[in-house]
Amino acid sequence: AQKVTQAQTEISVVEKEDVTLDCVYETRDTTYYLFWYKQPPSGELVFLIRRNSFDEQNEISGRYSWNFQKSTSSFNFTITASQVVDSAVYFCATSGLTGGGNKLTFGTGTQLKVEL
Amino acid sequence: KAGVTQTPRYLIKTRGQQVTLSCSPISGHRSVSWYQQTPGQGLQFLFEYFSETQRNKGNFPGRFSGRQFSNSRSEMNVSTLELGDSALYLCASSLDTGTAGNTIYFGEGSWLTVV
């Protein structure tokens, strides 16, 4: 079975601070996929990134960056120079062949509050 | 390109009633999944449909069912509603390429309150 742990329940930062959201995953699949989603109060889960287990290259997209480390089963997400609009719940998720290709297993989410 | 569309957005039902939620996937997407989100249990997978067939199912009672139509649109039904069924129901679609790990896009969800 797959499992995703997001130990940080809530994080509060002041605008322009950098913030890192932690994600630790467990899976028996040799090939698996990792995702991050953002959920604003409206409810929609907004897709942010998808990574394959065989591609450990870190990625930067604007103010967002992701650090994938297989050795520690972690897929952390950093927001640089945070803004109030970044306030949302962020979910890390994984999928793999044994769980069904399109079945996502989510963590419990991290509530990020960015204040002025 | 339109996203995943869910209707209705908000609804209130009474215990014992049934409810049907509708989902239109992104054009061209053939896989549709449903998730339930509650404060206590978080985001949980309900089921996935592909080409009108249920391909995967989560651990939910038989009161939860779904179907997919030939145009990939999907509906889910919950019968004999219980208070614990109050939740945000999210529909998701993906351009299934026959392999795992497809990017999955979500709709805004249907907020169901059971009273």
Side-chain angles (χ1 to χ4, degrees):
Chain A
Q2 297 168 327
K3 183 179 178 182
V4 176
T5 301
Q6 294 180 258
Q8 304 151 309
T9 303
E10 184 173 320
I11 300 176
S12 290
V13 298
V14 176
E15 201 175 38
K16 296 184 183 177
E17 283 186 16
D18 298 347
V19 58
T20 296
L21 309 182
D22 298 334
C23 172
V24 174
Y25 62 91
E26 295 176 32
T27 181
R28 293 181 181 177
D29 289 314
T30 53
T31 300
Y32 52 90
Y33 304 85
L34 299 167
F35 302 80
W36 275 96
Y37 287 87
K38 172 183 179 180
Q39 187 176 44
S42 63
E44 180 182 4
L45 279 170
V46 179
F47 167 77
L48 295 177
I49 191 171
R50 162 185 169 274
R51 298 308 301 269
N52 305 322
S53 56
F54 44 85
D55 181 5
E56 286 191 73
Q57 186 175 6
N58 292 325
E59 183 163 335
I60 298 174
S61 176
R63 296 185 298 107
Y64 296 168
S65 63
W66 290 270
N67 184 357
F68 176 26
Q69 291 193 336
K70 256 179 151 175
S71 60
T72 56
S73 296
S74 65
F75 186 43
N76 297 336
F77 172 34
T78 298
I79 301 175
T80 302
S82 60
Q83 300 175 1
V84 172
V85 294
D86 295 327
S87 297
V89 181
Y90 290 84
F91 289 94
C92 180
T94 185
S95 71
L97 290 175
T98 56
N102 287 329
K103 175 185 174 183
L104 290 172
T105 298
F106 285 91
T108 51
T110 297
Q111 170 83 59
L112 174 63
K113 294 184 179 179
V114 182
E115 300 166 334
L116 292 171
Chain B
K1 191 173 183 181
V4 179
T5 305
Q6 292 187 243
T7 57
R9 287 276 287 136
Y10 304 92
L11 65 166
I12 300 174
K13 290 287 187 177
T14 304
R15 269 184 304 175
Q17 286 186 317
Q18 73 166 9
V19 66
T20 299
L21 308 177
S22 181
C23 173
S24 293
I26 292 171
S27 178
H29 286 193
R30 296 193 298 166
S31 168
V32 175
S33 305
W34 290 88
Y35 290 78
Q36 181 197 63
Q37 185 177 23
T38 60
Q41 299 299 316
L43 279 155
Q44 292 186 288
F45 173 80
L46 279 158
F47 28 63
E48 180 201 3
Y49 286 87
F50 180 79
S51 292
E52 302 178 64
T53 301
Q54 188 180 86
R55 189 161 66 173
N56 206 348
K57 190 177 187 305
N59 295 322
F60 279 82
R63 298 185 298 107
F64 292 81
S65 62
R67 60 177 176 169
Q68 187 180 33
F69 302 96
S70 58
N71 61 359
S72 293
R73 192 177 67 85
S74 176
E75 289 181 347
M76 68 161 283
N77 183 278
V78 187
S79 62
T80 319
L81 284 166
E82 301 176 0
L83 295 178
D85 297 332
S86 295
L88 175 63
Y89 290 89
L90 289 159
C91 175
S93 75
S94 69
L95 181 61
D96 193 296
T97 57
T99 61
N102 300 283
T103 298
I104 299 169
Y105 298 93
F106 285 81
E108 291 186 300
S110 292
W111 294 87
L112 170 64
T113 301
V114 182
V115 298

